[in-house]
Amino acid sequence: MASANTPASANTQISPALPSEACGLERLPHVLNKLCQLWGRPECEAYISRLIMDSRDGSRQGLPWEVAMELMFLGELSVGRRALVASATTGVPFPQMLKRLRETSPC
């Protein structure tokens, strides 16, 4: 186990037991951690898209419905957040920027 000064990789870190009320993405801490690392960046939307879409020729097990719905919500939220920041930065009206980013987002 890593010390307080040495970060552990996602694959070796020992997760505490999940509380019984954990649901959705809370049940997939490796996915949740990656989302937190990528939040606010376009790579976040690409990651979400890869999770939702079957890119393994049907060999992917799939996600629980609750997790898929949370991922779809977070993908939309991520696009909206980036549109808000880009609109404030560029002066392009928010609805225009949102439409532009939705057209290019993988989610």
Side-chain angles (χ1 to χ4, degrees):
M1 195 158 131
S3 70
N5 296 330
T6 308
S9 76
N11 294 333
T12 61
Q13 187 172 4
I14 298 171
S15 299
L18 292 171
S20 60
E21 66 272 3
C23 60
L25 283 169
E26 293 172 336
R27 293 207 166 274
L28 302 172
H30 62 289
V31 173
L32 191 56
N33 288 337
K34 184 72 171 179
L35 286 169
C36 289
Q37 291 171 358
L38 295 175
W39 187 251
R41 300 174 15 207
E43 296 90 351
C44 183
E45 294 148 33
Y47 178 66
I48 290 170
S49 181
R50 283 193 311 270
L51 290 171
I52 293 174
M53 302 303 291
D54 180 8
S55 59
R56 298 181 187 172
D57 296 324
S59 66
R60 181 177 283 244
Q61 232 179 2
L63 298 165
W65 179 252
E66 183 178 60
V67 171
M69 294 302 292
E70 287 178 9
L71 287 170
M72 290 171 42
F73 171 75
L74 288 173
E76 273 295 309
L77 189 62
S78 179
V79 172
R81 180 191 178 283
R82 286 193 313 111
L84 190 61
V85 171
S87 175
T89 303
T90 64
V92 174
F94 175 74
Q96 269 182 270
M97 187 58 73
L98 182 61
K99 182 178 182 209
R100 189 180 304 169
L101 291 179
R102 279 184 174 158
E103 290 170 352
T104 60
S105 174
C107 285

